[in-house]
Amino acid sequence: MSVAFERNYLFPSIAYKTVISPSSYNKQKYLDLITENYNRQPLRNKWSNVANFHHYYDDWDNNKFEKLDLNELRNLYGNIIDSFMSDQIMFSNVIEYTWNIVNVTASKNPQEMGMHNHLHRDENYTCHFSAIHYMKIGENHSRTEFRNPLIVGYTELTLGDIGRKLSPNQIENSSFFRNWSLNWSEDDFVIFPAYLDHSVPKRKEETEDLRITVACNIYLKLD
């Protein structure tokens, strides 16, 4: 006998994905310039010792590298983020928000990025959402890995052996795993809660293809 069940998701962390058409901006221009800068210095890191990527964070005006004009990307991402804020998040009243491009990364094997999140605030705004544009990733790229934010993800007694019994391909089971990766593709633009710890492990297979991403933060003014 089959019984019908209604699913009610409690405390979900939702990742919102859309796809950016490569023809909607001069993608090759960005790929060529970022690749050139990477080849000049593969390890470019003023950000944190949690990663050994080629980072632009806090290093945008470094004269060692060709300057990256972000205006086209700002226009492109701005339309997506405005749509996200108006159509996907159900606020009880009008919310003032702002956003910016915070980093561009380029990496090859065996470069990696450790667990971190984007939670921070200044005097008026708090970062509540982050976004990743997967501008270039090959077939053997490392997936972004997210850490379970629920306490169950840190409790061996609760997890026990259940993670080895549940299907690792069903996202509905993700709350019973310590970490989870989604198989996003090149040209995907993904928005997720800034509190989610995430990392980029070393690639499992050797490849010379660069993995190039752009990271954004969305800040809400709640006071």
Side-chain angles (χ1 to χ4, degrees), residues 34-47:
I34 294 167
T35 299
E36 180 181 343
N37 284 336
Y38 177 90
N39 290 334
R40 290 185 184 184
Q41 186 175 310
L43 177 58
R44 175 186 180 183
N45 186 15
K46 287 193 174 183
W47 171 49

Side-chain angles (χ1 to χ4, degrees), residues 180-208:
W180 195 270
S181 298
L182 292 171
N183 192 20
W184 291 318
S185 302
E186 184 165 306
D187 301 316
D188 284 348
F189 185 91
V190 182
I191 300 175
F192 57 91
Y195 61 73
L196 283 178
D197 287 336
H198 53 286
S199 67
V200 182
K202 292 180 183 179
R203 298 188 191 192
K204 295 180 180 179
E205 299 180 33
E206 292 291 339
T207 177
E208 284 300 307

Side-chain angles (χ1 to χ4, degrees), residues 5-142:
F5 288 92
E6 176 186 285
R7 292 188 178 186
N8 294 270
Y9 293 95
L10 291 172
F11 315 118
S13 295
I14 303 173
Y16 304 80
K17 186 190 84 170
T18 189
V19 179
I20 293 178
S21 170
S23 63
S24 65
Y25 72 109
N26 195 339
K27 177 178 178 177
Q28 195 59 50
K29 177 190 73 173
Y30 286 101
L31 294 181
D32 290 344
L33 187 53
I34 294 167
T35 299
E36 180 181 343
N37 284 336
Y38 177 90
N39 290 334
R40 290 185 184 184
Q41 186 175 310
L43 177 58
R44 175 186 180 183
N45 186 15
K46 287 193 174 183
W47 171 49
S48 169
N49 60 9
V50 76
N52 62 358
F53 279 14
H54 177 92
H55 290 281
Y56 282 66
Y57 183 85
D58 204 27
D59 199 39
W60 297 100
D61 297 320
N62 191 327
N63 291 328
K64 292 181 181 178
F65 306 99
E66 294 294 325
K67 185 152 179 80
L68 196 61
D69 186 349
L70 299 175
N71 287 330
E72 190 175 10
L73 294 181
R74 289 191 183 102
N75 292 333
L76 185 66
Y77 300 162
N79 291 330
I80 297 173
I81 291 171
D82 288 344
S83 177
F84 167 76
M85 292 296 292
S86 62
D87 300 337
Q88 299 297 323
I89 306 298
M90 303 296 106
F91 294 109
S92 57
N93 50 34
V94 176
I95 294 292
E96 184 178 338
Y97 67 92
T98 186
W99 69 275
N100 64 359
I101 296 173
V102 294
N103 201 1
V104 174
T105 75
S107 63
K108 288 182 182 179
N109 201 60
Q111 292 172 300
E112 62 184 330
M113 182 185 295
M115 280 289 178
H116 66 286
N117 62 59
H118 293 202
L119 274 181
H120 66 275
R121 70 174 302 162
D122 59 21
E123 185 177 351
N124 298 309
Y125 290 87
T126 303
C127 179
H128 279 274
F129 296 97
S130 295
I132 303 173
H133 177 200
Y134 293 89
M135 186 178 286
K136 177 177 171 54
I137 51 176
E139 291 183 0
N140 298 323
H141 74 95
S142 293

